[in-house]
Amino acid sequence: MTNMTDKIEKSDAEWRDALTPEQYRVLRRQGTEPAFTGAYWSNKDPGRYLCAGCGAELFGAQHKFDSGTGWPSFSQPMAEDAVETEQDMSHGMLRTEVHCARCGSHLGHVFLDGPKPTGQRFCINSVSLEFEPEE
Ligand code: FE
């Protein structure tokens, strides 16, 4: 069993081999999938969302809400240390980027216009996630 603190490091070539081209574009090149196109933006099934890069548990369906944006949106991660954030000044905007704490793969961004009690909106690309339905 891999501990959450065990970071996963791969070379760029290894990531290219391990991921689909679209996963590579988003996870390793900070890309964004078009709104309303991903597999999970409207998914309401109970379960867990794992990192598509390393399988780490990132988000739970109990924290998912309909943001109307066309991207899977969560009010919080499953555990506080599951994700890390970084200031992102690309595209002429100041945003807070969110990535997997274990493998560093880009997930999306977090905004402060989410529902109570956290007020956070984790806006996450479907392609960065793998949904594991509850048994
Ligand atoms: Fe990961």
Side-chain angles (χ1 to χ4, degrees):
M1 181 101 183
T2 309
N3 189 293
M4 277 303 293
T5 57
D6 293 338
K7 302 267 181 188
I8 289 178
E9 289 189 29
K10 291 183 196 215
S11 70
D12 191 57
E14 287 172 324
W15 280 118
R16 272 188 197 277
D17 283 348
L19 303 173
T20 67
E22 176 66 356
Q23 284 176 331
Y24 178 82
R25 186 183 75 79
V26 174
L27 275 71
R28 307 311 305 182
R29 285 290 173 269
Q30 278 63 251
T32 300
E33 70 193 12
F36 301 102
T37 65
Y40 303 136
W41 67 272
S42 63
N43 183 30
K44 292 186 166 66
D45 295 343
R48 305 177 302 164
Y49 292 85
L50 314 181
C51 175
C54 74
E57 290 183 10
L58 298 179
F59 296 98
Q62 69 271 30
H63 301 128
K64 195 172 186 287
F65 67 97
D66 183 3
S67 64
T69 61
W71 287 285
S73 301
F74 303 89
S75 56
Q76 63 182 82
M78 209 160 209
E80 209 169 306
D81 59 0
V83 301
E84 293 173 345
T85 60
E86 193 173 313
Q87 291 309 309
D88 173 12
M89 295 182 66
S90 65
H91 305 290
M93 295 176 272
L94 175 58
R95 295 179 295 172
T96 303
E97 186 268 357
V98 180
H99 55 267
C100 173
R102 189 156 80 182
C103 75
S105 289
H106 173 67
L107 305 172
H109 291 83
V110 59
F111 303 92
L112 299 178
D113 56 8
K116 289 176 181 181
T118 68
Q120 294 182 314
R121 171 171 61 94
F122 287 83
C123 185
I124 305 298
N125 291 283
S126 291
V127 74
S128 299
L129 302 172
E130 191 173 323
F131 181 62
E132 194 175 76
E134 207 170 273
E135 293 294 315

